Amino acid sequence: TKPIFLEDRQAQACIQANNVFIHLFGVFDGHSGPGCSNAVAQRLFDYIAVLLNFPNDLKLIMEKAKNYQ
């Protein structure tokens, strides 16, 4: 029998924007392979977080992200 390989991915995040906590949840369907669903699950919420914060907060956000990894 063939091993089952799931192409779907999930992600969750808690974003603080303008002193409000926003919880995001996502399930991403990987059609014909996991490449796209991996990329979206890993990056989408980061892009949303940047868009929700004021532009002058971007430097602080990037520093926190760099120190987090």
Side-chain angles (χ1 to χ4, degrees):
T1 62
K2 259 184 157 175
I4 296 173
F5 181 71
L6 297 178
E7 300 170 342
D8 301 343
R9 298 295 180 261
Q10 57 81 30
Q12 59 279 330
C14 180
I15 299 170
Q16 183 179 3
N18 304 324
N19 296 321
V20 175
F21 287 95
I22 301 167
H23 299 274
L24 303 173
F25 305 91
V27 176
F28 310 102
D29 193 358
H31 295 285
S32 300
C36 184
S37 58
N38 280 338
V40 173
Q42 292 172 2
R43 298 180 181 147
L44 179 63
F45 296 154
D46 293 332
Y47 296 149
I48 292 171
V50 169
L51 290 172
L52 289 175
N53 283 280
F54 295 119
N56 57 352
D57 292 339
L58 183 56
K59 184 176 180 180
L60 177 62
I61 292 167
M62 296 305 290
E63 284 298 318
K64 283 183 179 179
K66 187 172 25 172
N67 293 331
Y68 179 74
Q69 296 176 359

